[in-house]
Amino acid sequence: MTIKRIGHRYSDAKTGATLDVWFPRSNKEVARNCLALKAGVIKGDFVTVEITSVDEAPTTAEEAYLRLHLLSECAYKPHTINLDGVFGLLANVAWTSAGPVLPSEVETLREAITDEPHTLTVTSIDKFPRMVDYVIPEGVRIADADRVRLGAHLAPGTTVMHEGFCNFNAGTLGNSMVEGRISAGVVIGENSDIGGGASIMGTLSGGGKQVISMGQRNLLGANAGLGISLGDDCIVESGLYITAGTKVKMPDGSIVSARELSGQSKLLFRRHSQTGQVQAIMTDGTLWSGLNSTLHSND
């Protein structure tokens, strides 16, 4: 299926480098305006981007931006659209309250708008902007917009609390409580809870190539960590970090590496309070009460 969208592009006035592209859902020519544009530090124009196959890697920054939009619009789930090479296509941008500029142009921008009633704020220097500046997903709550990157997939019913984080090409598939970190590539199933301070290994720096996922009705306890996938109805005790090589004692007394349990359902992972040994016991998932439905009615 061919995807064709009209976007508004900002580019550096000196070099012509693409800084960002916004694709309105209406697919109409809707222009943006900002002080950086008014000052002549950046330029704006319309661009039409066509993707003939989402299975092929993007070749331009404009196409990369469209793919990130499609993920955040929940038109595609994580890992169903090719993002190979996206880091090399995107410029490192200073995201400011006066518009996006190259980091080297921040001082130029500051001087150019001295007569404006505006205090320049730089929110980040990064290749990826905040999602909410480009896409507002339906039926979600995000307490701190700085912690969700464009390209995150947040399904309706998702609540991201102040310390929650979601990277691009990662996210939720249904009602979820996110108080911890969803790293790049990680997918969270419906009715799962990522506890405060919890972290899930991604596929970028420090992570491996194995994509980590959680099924439905899982609880990752506060300050816990996950380096294997979980099936459905699993619990990881607060403070317990499970890596692929963690040695786990099974109910029958055998010892296995956690990687052998990846993707299995109805397991409670806990650490023995006296011996420190990591154990896995069978559970039906009712040891925690599940999500509070009222908290995820985000209409």
Side-chain angles (χ1 to χ4, degrees):
M1 180 182 68
T2 298
I3 301 168
K4 190 175 183 179
R5 295 276 292 269
I6 300 170
H8 186 254
R9 172 175 57 190
Y10 280 146
S11 57
D12 179 63
K14 293 179 181 178
T15 66
T18 296
L19 299 172
D20 81 340
V21 187
W22 170 58
F23 294 92
R25 290 181 188 253
S26 65
N27 205 22
K28 297 178 180 179
E29 289 191 353
V30 182
R32 297 173 292 170
N33 202 355
C34 64
L35 288 178
L37 183 64
K38 179 181 178 180
V41 179
I42 64 175
K43 295 180 178 180
D45 67 344
F46 293 106
V47 58
T48 298
V49 177
E50 186 172 317
I51 299 175
T52 57
S53 173
V54 296
D55 296 325
E56 300 295 327
T59 58
T60 65
E62 290 77 7
E63 188 181 340
Y65 262 94
L66 177 52
R67 291 171 186 244
L68 295 174
H69 275 69
L70 293 171
L71 282 165
S72 290
E73 291 171 0
C74 294
Y76 288 84
K77 294 179 181 179
H79 306 295
T80 63
I81 187 168
N82 194 328
L83 291 176
D84 290 348
V86 67
F87 276 95
L89 296 174
L90 301 181
N92 198 33
V93 174
W95 305 99
T96 85
S97 54
V101 298
L102 293 177
S104 59
E105 294 300 307
V106 171
E107 290 306 308
T108 300
L109 173 61
R110 197 184 304 274
E111 293 175 8
I113 63 172
T114 52
D115 292 333
E116 300 287 344
H118 182 87
T119 300
L120 186 68
T121 301
V122 180
T123 57
S124 68
I125 300 176
D126 194 7
K127 289 177 177 283
F128 294 80
R130 302 188 306 181
M131 179 185 70
V132 298
D133 292 334
Y134 297 80
V135 177
I136 301 296
E138 298 178 358
V140 307
R141 284 193 294 141
I142 302 172
D144 186 346
D146 287 340
R147 299 182 66 82
V148 180
R149 275 173 146 183
L150 181 63
H153 180 287
L154 299 182
T158 299
T159 296
V160 183
M161 296 303 291
H162 295 78
E163 294 304 317
F165 170 81
C166 189
N167 214 331
F168 75 99
N169 201 28
T172 62
L173 302 182
N175 289 355
S176 301
M177 174 60 79
V178 182
E179 298 180 272
R181 169 177 291 272
I182 302 177
S183 300
V186 174
V187 181
I188 306 300
E190 189 172 12
N191 293 319
S192 291
D193 188 322
I194 312 301
S199 181
I200 306 171
M201 284 188 183
T203 55
L204 298 179
S205 299
K209 296 181 179 180
Q210 184 69 35
V211 175
I212 304 299
S213 64
M214 287 176 56
Q216 300 182 27
R217 301 175 300 278
N218 289 304
L219 172 63
L220 184 60
N223 297 314
L226 192 62
I228 63 171
S229 293
L230 298 180
D232 300 330
D233 301 302
C234 291
I235 300 172
V236 179
E237 180 186 69
S238 296
L240 175 59
Y241 205 120
I242 301 174
T243 65
T246 300
K247 300 303 180 184
V248 181
K249 184 177 180 179
M250 302 300 293
D252 63 3
S254 63
I255 305 295
V256 302
S257 294
R259 64 171 57 89
E260 299 179 43
L261 304 175
S262 184
Q264 293 191 27
S265 299
K266 297 185 176 180
L267 289 176
L268 163 63
F269 293 91
R270 66 184 186 185
R271 188 181 295 277
H272 193 283
S273 61
Q274 293 179 312
T275 66
Q277 186 176 57
V278 177
Q279 302 173 328
I281 63 174
M282 299 302 299
T283 177
D284 60 4
T286 62
L287 291 182
W288 72 295
S289 58
L291 296 181
N292 183 335
S293 60
T294 303
L295 296 178
H296 301 278
S297 179
N298 298 330
D299 297 331

